[in-house]
Amino acid sequence: MNDAVLHVAERVREACIRAALDGYQQAAMSGLCHEGACEAAVDAVRMLDLAALLQQQDDSAR
């Protein structure tokens, strides 16, 4: 695997973790129970705009 592919994969992983943590925190602050907050965290990852993330990667590589 080349360095560029690994870098993109790392950025996607970081974005997923950030989205999950933010989604959980927002849901918990809104009063959802743990299970509901976990579902919100997963939904936050599902809603990530991967095309925008990859576009940012392309823009920063230039």
Side-chain angles (χ1 to χ4, degrees), residues 2-56:
N2 67 36
D3 289 341
V5 171
L6 185 58
H7 183 69
V8 170
E10 288 172 354
R11 293 223 19 205
V12 170
R13 176 175 53 202
E14 289 170 11
C16 288
I17 291 169
R18 193 170 37 248
L21 291 173
D22 290 346
Y24 183 91
Q25 183 179 29
Q26 289 177 10
M29 288 176 25
S30 295
L32 267 66
C33 64
H34 173 71
E35 289 81 12
C38 285
E39 287 179 25
V42 170
D43 285 342
V45 173
R46 285 185 179 130
M47 292 187 306
L48 273 175
D49 187 351
L50 295 178
L53 181 65
L54 293 175
Q55 183 61 46
Q56 289 173 356

